[in-house]
């Protein structure tokens, strides 16, 4: 797969926005972990309607975003899938002091788009009637790290190595399963829970005691009034209702 740089991503996205809306409203670029794509799209849409500003969302793995930010990517804020990277950015004086907060706590599930395929206790992982299990890359994606922790806790990690396919982020991992490239995968609960829609396929909610809680934090990267206002909006009851609706917990 051809490597996509942050400069290319921003150029393509910005051009599309200019074509759609040539207005002169203030616009900010915000880096977002791919698991949080659907909730933040809805939140950003409501904020844009109310404020008249434009929120330019760029989705990628948290580890990739962290490296891009360290290399000077022009993001005003960062919504990570963990607490470690925002904390590092704060310690490295890349992020604004005092701006870091937890906006959601995520969960992982074992999921297949096939109804009745995943049993209620996840024993399918031991019986192995599947060829491929998709997980996110543990080195880049916190949801992949959580999947690794769970599989190691169950003593399944080594035995499933030849069946694993790894996505660069949890979004790509979900697509592996949804497209049929993998029969099942360990994905974010928020990817299969859609407000107002029944759950698709079959899943098992992996016990949260078997992996480190996925505490997702956000941080400001520059003093920008629109970015700061958007960060405040994320904490509003309206935004929190959306986050909860996608299966996240709020600390």
């Amino acid at each position: 797969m051809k490597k996509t740089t942050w400069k290319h991503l921003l150029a393509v996205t910005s051009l599309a926005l200019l074509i759609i809306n040539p207005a002169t409203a203030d616009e900010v670029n915000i880096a977002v972990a791919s698991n949080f794509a659907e909730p933040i799209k809805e939140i950003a849409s409501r904020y844009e309607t109310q404020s008249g500003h434009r929120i330019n969302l760029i989705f990628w793995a948290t580890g990739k975003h962290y490296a891009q930010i360290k290399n000077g990517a022009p993001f005003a804020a960062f919504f990570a899938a963990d607490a470690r990277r925002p904390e590092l950015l704060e310690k490295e004086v890349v992020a604004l002091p005092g701006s870091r907060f937890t906006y959601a706590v995520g969960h992982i599930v074992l999921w297949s788009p096939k109804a009745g395929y995943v049993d209620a206790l996840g024993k399918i992982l031991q019986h192995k009637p599947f060829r491929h299990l998709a997980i996110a890359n543990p080195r880049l994606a916190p949801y992949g790290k959580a999947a690794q922790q769970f599989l190691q806790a169950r003593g399944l990690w080594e035995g499933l190595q030849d069946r694993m396919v790894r996505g660069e982020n949890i979004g790509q991992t979900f697509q592996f399963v949804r497209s049929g490239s993998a029969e099942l995968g360990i994905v974010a609960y928020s990817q299969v829970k859609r407000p107002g829609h029944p759950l698709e396929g079959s899943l098992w909610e992996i016990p949260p005691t078997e992996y480190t809680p996925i505490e997702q934090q956000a941080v400001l990267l520059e003093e920008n009034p629109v970015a700061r206002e958007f960060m405040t909006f994320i904490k509003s009851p309206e935004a929190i209702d959306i986050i909860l609706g996608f299966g996240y917990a709020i600390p």
Side-chain angles (χ1 to χ4, degrees):
M1 180 183 294
K2 185 179 179 181
K3 188 176 180 180
T4 303
T5 66
W6 60 264
K7 288 182 179 178
H8 177 71
L9 285 170
L10 287 175
V12 172
T13 308
S14 297
L15 178 60
L17 290 172
L18 285 172
I19 292 172
I20 295 170
N21 182 12
T24 58
D26 290 334
E27 177 179 328
V28 294
N29 299 317
I30 294 181
V32 184
S34 57
N35 76 87
F36 201 60
E38 295 308 314
I40 203 167
K41 284 178 185 176
E42 186 170 338
I43 294 168
S45 176
R46 295 196 188 186
Y47 171 77
E48 288 174 341
T49 299
Q50 295 176 27
S51 69
H53 300 308
R54 173 72 66 177
I55 302 298
N56 186 9
L57 303 169
I58 297 90
F59 303 107
W60 210 248
T62 288
K64 289 272 191 179
H65 271 321
Y66 171 75
Q68 292 166 355
I69 290 165
K70 289 279 289 178
N71 286 322
F75 299 124
F78 178 31
F79 284 78
D82 65 5
R84 186 170 70 88
R85 268 72 162 221
E87 184 177 6
L88 283 173
L89 291 172
E90 194 173 56
K91 288 179 178 178
E92 293 157 351
V93 199
V94 177
L96 268 60
S99 66
R100 181 166 57 93
F101 69 98
T102 300
Y103 63 91
V105 178
H107 308 284
I108 53 174
V109 297
L110 182 67
W111 175 72
S112 170
K114 300 178 184 177
Y117 192 69
V118 177
D119 61 278
L121 296 175
K123 292 183 178 179
I124 187 173
L125 290 173
Q126 297 172 323
H127 301 324
K128 303 178 183 178
F130 55 90
R131 290 181 303 164
H132 297 111
L133 168 70
I135 71 166
N137 187 334
R139 293 185 296 105
L140 298 173
Y143 279 80
K145 184 65 176 177
Q148 180 182 20
Q149 290 173 342
F150 157 68
L151 293 171
Q152 288 175 331
R154 290 291 177 105
L156 298 169
W157 179 252
E158 295 299 332
L160 290 173
Q161 287 298 307
D162 61 343
R163 299 181 187 228
M164 284 186 200
V165 291
R166 292 171 172 81
E168 278 204 356
N169 52 58
I170 199 65
Q172 187 179 65
T173 303
F174 179 74
Q175 290 304 320
F176 283 160
V177 186
R178 189 164 199 171
S179 68
S181 297
E183 292 92 333
L184 74 166
I186 298 177
V187 301
Y189 183 39
S190 59
Q191 292 174 301
V192 295
K193 187 181 189 309
R194 293 288 184 272
H197 297 277
L199 290 172
E200 177 185 354
S202 54
L203 64 81
W204 172 53
E205 294 186 40
I206 296 172
T209 55
E210 298 190 38
Y211 57 92
T212 302
I214 307 173
E215 186 178 357
Q216 303 193 193
Q217 292 195 342
V219 68
L220 273 172
L221 301 173
E222 63 179 40
E223 189 52 71
N224 181 297
V226 175
R228 187 174 284 279
E229 187 178 79
F230 182 67
M231 297 283 264
T232 300
F233 186 75
I234 286 284
K235 302 174 186 178
S236 70
E238 183 178 359
I240 287 173
D241 282 346
I242 293 171
I243 294 170
L244 292 173
F246 278 89
Y248 293 94
I250 298 293

